[in-house]
């Protein structure tokens, strides 16, 4: 990984941080303890008075840590293991200590100002950090691990992560920050806030970033940003507050995946008493260096996919493309009866494209890789007689759909052409797709599997709660709330099987049958480097709606020396899912009508295309208490 060199310019709103840093360390600790929190509590309270574990990261922390991603920031929270930014700036994974979950954000929803930006935190290929990005408009991030998170919020069993947005005050403030790094990284953050009149304030800001990527992929990897703003109205007597927020993100980030590597062989399986020990000095990369390498390169950036849509060009430069608009309305009203009503309404809508390249498990020299695509086989007498005598014919293996009977399968091609194009192939050769030159026998080759996913998504949520404080054997802060949500995703996921070299800049290769003299004969065995340009995957159409009722009591007794948080939540979700897995079905042969099958202009790669199969339907309700 390349080192990141960060330079922050003066931000007017952060001048206070400079003087704060000069305070006595004991004073800093006291400020931390007295820090006011709003997540996991019904009334604002200090961290010292909460009954559960909560971590806060404010702007001064974020300035010091300079996280490159949301996961990079969260790995500074005790009890959360994050990938950091190994996958890039977005779509990383986190794991909450104590929960048997690997990856994603399944039990750790990303809230923005107390509401989830998307109701379901575990949408495949749309991790919950997709639209939860920090910038100078982020006042702080509060993390509740367990505790009241599962009572007051949806899906908050493990950790509830609340990104709190900066709002305006009666003084004008502004800030600007520039970050630079040695991999072409340039990021600008900006915010402005202040009063419109005595009752109305505003804040607006965001970021824009471009970079060549955390790994050297040979083209612009990350480009885009977000803009957001809010208006806050407060009545003269402070009994009414109305907030209107809007956020728009349009950002592309590269996604990095596994690289081929080799470990020493061992003969016996390890046991708990005698575990297998691997000497890490004996682990080495195959073809591509660990530190800065990637299978993404200018030569693997564009390729062809086939599917129910026909033919399309895929550009890995589109990366992970989040394009969402999020609108939020929040209200607080203090009633004369002592009750306070709080309501929040959010709508999120947009698309998320996931374009990434995964690496196969077949790294070896081109000679061995290509030999595995071919084997000799003696043609049966009946078949041999039909093709003018017995002979040793090459059998192309490994994802090639080469027919045995030309008359049955390829009526437009003569038997002589069939023999020349297929049966007389004596080996398989690889040629660089970009310039047509031959791939050397000692070059490392492998399969690549691009994961290409397009998701249309919408989510809405509504939270209404009433709180009151009363005395009964101490002080009670009682909250009664209802919650509702509705969300849907329409998603298409498809992979391909590409052939590529594993070198400093990975290159796609075209496979051809070779005659006895090593010359290419017959049609290509690949399409733009793809043996299977339309491989496995699925399509899904998911809609779900849910509702919840919750009750929470914060009780302090014995002169506030003993505190309890007691709560219960009932939640129900109704899900309607239609899924179609991609398989080889009728219509899988997508040879164009203008191409004679088996001719030099044909390819075997389009003869087996995985298409969406039978519908699998789920209509069910799920409910439970917490």
């Amino acid at each position: 990984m390349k080192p990141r060199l960060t330079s922050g310019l003066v931000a007017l709103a952060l001048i206070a941080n400079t003087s704060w840093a000069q305070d006595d360390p004991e004073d800093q600790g006291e400020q931390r303890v007295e820090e006011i929190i709003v997540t996991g509590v019904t009334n604002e309270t200090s961290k010292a008075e909460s009954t559960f574990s909560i971590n806060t990261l404010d702007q001064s922390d974020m300035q010091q840590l300079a996280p490159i991603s949301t996961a990079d920031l969260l790995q500074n929270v005790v009890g959360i293991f994050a990938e950091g930014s190994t996958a890039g700036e977005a779509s990383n994974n986190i794991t909450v200590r104590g929960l048997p979950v690997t990856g994603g954000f399944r039990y750790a929803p990303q809230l923005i100002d107390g509401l989830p930006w998307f109701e379901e935190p575990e949408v495949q290929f749309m991790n919950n950090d997709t639209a939860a990005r920090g910038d100078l408009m982020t006042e702080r991030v509060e993390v509740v691990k367990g505790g009241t998170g599962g009572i007051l919020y949806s899906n908050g069993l493990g950790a509830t992560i609340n990104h709190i947005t900066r709002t305006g005050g009666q003084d004008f403030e502004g800030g600007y920050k520039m970050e630079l790094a040695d991999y072409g990284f340039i990021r600008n953050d900006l915010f402005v806030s202040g009063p419109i009149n005595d009752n109305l304030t505003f804040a607006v800001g965001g970021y824009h970033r471009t970079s060549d990527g955390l790994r050297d992929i040979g083209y612009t990897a990350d480009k885009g940003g977000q803009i957001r703003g809010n208006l806050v109205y407060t009545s003269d007597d402070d009994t009414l507050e109305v907030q209107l927020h809007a956020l728009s993100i349009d950002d592309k980030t590269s996604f990095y995946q596994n690289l081929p590597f080799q470990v020493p062989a061992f003969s016996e399986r390890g046991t708990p008493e005698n575990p297998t020990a691997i000497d890490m000095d004996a682990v080495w990369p195959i073809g591509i260096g660990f530190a800065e390498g990637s299978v993404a390169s200018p030569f693997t950036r564009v390729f062809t996919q086939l599917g129910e849509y026909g033919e399309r060009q895929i550009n890995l430069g589109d990366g992970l493309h989040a394009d969402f608009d999020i609108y939020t309305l929040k209200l607080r009203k203090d009633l004369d009866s002592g009750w306070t009503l709080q309501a929040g309404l959010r709508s999120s809508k947009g698309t998320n494209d996931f374009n990434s390249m995964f690496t196969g498990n077949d790294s070896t020299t081109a000679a061995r890789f290509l030999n595995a695509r071919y084997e000799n086989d003696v043609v049966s007498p009946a078949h041999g007689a039909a093709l003018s005598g017995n002979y040793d014919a090459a059998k192309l293996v490994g994802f090639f759909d080469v027919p045995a009977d030309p008359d049955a399968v390829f009526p437009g091609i003569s038997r002589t052409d069939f023999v020349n194009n297929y049966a007389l192939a004596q080996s398989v050769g690889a040629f660089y797709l970009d310039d047509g030159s031959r791939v050397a026998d000692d070059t490392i080759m492998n399969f690549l599997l691009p994961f290409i996913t397009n998701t249309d998504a919408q989510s809405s949520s509504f939270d209404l709660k009433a709180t009151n404080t009363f005395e009964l054997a101490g002080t009670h802060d009682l909250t009664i709330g209802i919650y509702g949500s509705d969300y849907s995703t329409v998603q298409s996921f498809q992979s391909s099987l590409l052939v590529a070299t594993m070198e400093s800049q990975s290159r796609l290769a075209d496979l051809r049958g070779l005659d006895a003299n090593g010359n290419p004969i017959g049609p290509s065995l690949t399409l733009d480097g793809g043996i299977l340009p339309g491989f496995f995957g699925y399509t899904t159409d998911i809609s779900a709606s849910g509702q919840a009722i919750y009750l929470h009591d914060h009780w302090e007794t014995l002169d506030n020396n003993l505190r309890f948080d007691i709560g219960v939540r009932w939640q129900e979700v109704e899900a309607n899912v239609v899924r179609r897995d991609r398989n080889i079905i009728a219509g899988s042969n997508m040879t164009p009508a203008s191409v004679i099958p088996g001719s030099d202009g044909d390819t075997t790669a389009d003869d087996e295309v995985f298409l969406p199969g039978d519908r699998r339907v789920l209509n069910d309700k799920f409910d439970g208490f917490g």
Side-chain angles (χ1 to χ4, degrees):
M1 191 73 69
K2 291 186 177 181
R4 226 164 46 84
L5 307 178
T6 304
S7 173
L9 301 185
V10 63
L12 299 180
L14 300 179
I15 291 176
N17 291 341
T18 304
S19 60
W20 176 85
Q22 297 171 353
D23 293 340
D24 185 91
E26 292 185 5
D27 294 337
Q28 295 180 26
E30 292 175 1
Q31 292 181 33
R32 289 291 188 180
V33 171
E34 294 301 319
E35 189 172 9
I36 299 299
I37 59 173
V38 298
T39 309
V41 297
T42 54
N43 289 320
E44 292 185 358
T45 187
S46 69
K47 291 173 65 174
E49 295 180 347
S50 66
T51 64
F52 49 84
S53 172
I54 185 164
N55 294 87
T56 59
L57 297 163
D58 59 23
Q59 267 294 334
S60 62
D61 297 318
M62 288 182 268
Q63 293 293 316
Q64 182 178 11
L65 296 169
I68 197 65
S69 67
T70 299
D72 200 15
L73 175 68
L74 295 178
Q75 69 179 351
N76 295 284
V77 176
V78 176
I80 291 182
F81 172 79
E83 278 188 341
S85 298
T86 57
E89 289 193 24
S91 200
N92 290 284
N93 299 318
I94 70 170
T95 300
V96 180
R97 183 172 58 196
L99 292 179
V101 179
T102 56
F105 288 77
R106 184 170 301 174
Y107 301 124
Q110 302 290 295
L111 311 184
I112 301 176
D113 300 315
L115 288 170
W117 82 265
F118 199 87
E119 172 66 14
E120 170 56 61
E122 190 69 3
V123 177
Q124 284 186 292
F125 301 107
M126 194 179 85
N127 278 13
N128 212 216
D129 61 347
T130 293
R133 311 283 187 90
D135 55 28
L136 281 183
M137 282 288 288
T138 303
E139 182 177 291
R140 65 188 184 279
V141 177
E142 297 182 350
V143 182
V144 174
K145 288 167 292 184
T148 57
I151 301 298
L152 297 177
Y153 309 105
S154 185
N155 298 308
L157 174 65
T160 302
I161 301 159
N162 194 12
H163 302 256
I164 298 170
T165 306
R166 183 190 302 273
T167 57
Q170 287 302 313
D171 294 319
F172 281 103
E173 291 185 313
Y176 170 73
K177 180 181 70 172
M178 174 180 284
E179 288 181 290
L180 304 172
D182 62 353
Y183 53 92
F185 177 92
I186 303 175
R187 172 166 167 154
N188 293 276
D189 286 60
L190 176 71
F191 88 92
V192 179
S193 67
I196 297 176
N197 56 40
D198 290 343
N199 301 103
L200 189 63
T201 64
F202 79 95
V204 63
Y207 76 88
H208 184 272
R209 177 266 299 102
T210 182
S211 88
D212 296 333
L214 292 167
R215 291 180 175 271
D216 186 9
I217 62 176
Y219 53 86
T220 299
D222 309 321
K223 185 176 183 179
Q226 71 180 10
I227 184 171
R228 50 179 168 159
N230 56 71
L231 296 171
V232 179
Y233 170 82
T234 306
S235 63
D236 290 334
D237 59 3
D238 197 31
T239 61
L240 175 65
E241 182 181 86
V242 181
Q243 298 188 16
L244 179 63
H245 295 250
L247 184 155
S248 181
I249 182 171
D250 187 353
D251 197 18
K252 295 181 181 180
T253 59
S254 186
F255 187 82
Y256 310 103
Q257 257 304 323
N258 53 320
L259 295 174
F261 65 92
Q262 184 164 328
V263 298
F266 51 90
S267 58
E268 295 183 2
R269 183 186 300 273
T271 65
E273 296 76 21
N274 186 26
T276 299
I278 296 177
D279 180 5
M280 296 306 295
D281 292 335
V283 176
W284 67 89
I286 303 176
I288 301 176
F290 284 145
E292 300 176 3
S294 173
V295 293
S297 78
F299 303 105
T300 61
R301 179 177 178 176
V302 178
F303 54 91
T304 301
Q305 263 194 342
L306 300 178
E308 68 280 7
Y309 43 79
E311 180 178 304
R312 65 183 180 186
Q313 292 294 111
I314 301 298
N315 189 339
L316 282 185
D318 293 336
L320 276 60
H321 184 191
D323 188 359
F324 282 93
D325 294 319
I326 303 172
Y327 300 100
T328 308
L329 176 64
K330 298 185 69 178
L331 179 144
R332 172 186 58 83
K333 175 61 178 176
D334 298 333
L335 304 177
D336 294 338
S337 61
W339 286 91
T340 296
L341 296 178
Q342 298 180 64
L345 175 65
R346 169 161 293 156
S347 174
S348 304
K349 187 175 183 179
T351 60
N352 186 70
D353 296 335
F354 185 100
N355 303 285
S356 178
M357 196 77 83
F358 288 71
T359 310
N361 299 317
D362 300 88
S363 294
T364 187
T365 62
R368 295 183 62 184
F369 182 89
L370 296 172
N371 188 59
R373 313 274 79 79
Y374 159 90
E375 65 182 24
N376 284 327
D377 187 26
V378 177
V379 179
S380 66
H383 192 191
L387 294 175
S388 71
N390 273 335
Y391 58 90
D392 286 340
K395 181 180 180 183
L396 304 174
V397 297
F399 309 109
F400 302 130
D401 183 28
V402 176
D405 187 346
D407 286 333
V409 181
F410 292 157
I413 184 173
S414 70
R415 298 185 182 195
T416 301
D417 287 340
F418 175 81
V419 171
N420 290 338
N421 289 349
Y422 289 107
L424 294 186
Q426 297 299 299
S427 61
V428 176
F431 301 83
Y432 285 113
L433 191 64
D434 53 284
D435 63 11
S437 61
R438 185 79 176 264
V439 176
D441 287 347
D442 59 352
T443 302
I444 301 296
M445 296 190 69
N446 199 351
F447 289 120
L448 296 179
L449 292 97
F451 280 22
I452 310 301
T453 307
N454 310 110
T455 305
D456 291 326
Q458 73 82 28
S459 174
S460 58
S461 55
F462 173 73
D463 189 37
L464 174 64
K465 55 178 172 278
T467 62
N468 199 356
T469 300
F470 61 91
E471 300 292 329
L472 179 64
T475 302
H476 296 261
D477 291 329
L478 181 66
T479 300
I480 302 172
I482 59 173
Y483 179 82
S485 64
D486 182 273
Y487 63 95
S488 66
T489 59
V490 178
Q491 189 175 84
S492 173
F493 161 54
Q494 186 174 28
S495 183
S496 297
L497 191 67
L498 307 179
V499 179
T501 59
M502 300 289 101
E503 41 191 332
S504 59
Q505 285 194 321
S506 184
R507 298 165 68 181
L508 294 178
D510 183 29
L511 299 188
R512 300 290 301 275
L514 305 179
D515 64 16
N517 296 319
N519 299 313
I521 60 172
S524 172
L525 303 173
T526 52
L527 175 63
D528 291 347
I531 286 182
L532 292 175
F535 203 10
F536 64 88
Y538 60 78
T539 65
T540 58
D541 189 340
I542 300 173
S543 61
S545 60
Q547 47 275 328
I549 301 173
Y550 57 93
L551 175 70
H552 175 259
D553 182 27
H554 178 76
W555 175 26
E556 297 188 6
T557 187
L558 301 181
D559 294 328
N560 297 334
N561 290 315
L562 182 61
R563 303 182 181 92
F564 296 93
D565 272 282
I566 305 168
V568 62
R569 183 184 184 96
W570 172 84
Q571 188 151 350
E572 179 187 67
V573 175
E574 180 177 0
N576 300 282
V577 180
V578 177
R579 175 178 172 124
R580 301 175 64 192
D581 290 320
R582 296 182 181 275
N583 299 293
I584 299 177
I585 59 177
S588 292
N589 190 326
M590 296 186 65
T591 301
S594 60
V595 174
I596 298 177
S599 66
D600 286 345
D602 189 22
T603 172
T604 60
D606 57 15
D607 296 342
E608 291 185 344
V609 178
F610 286 52
L611 300 174
D614 295 335
R615 289 160 47 98
R616 298 165 57 195
V617 178
L618 168 71
N619 293 304
D620 208 345
K621 287 185 178 180
F622 309 89
D623 67 271
F625 282 91

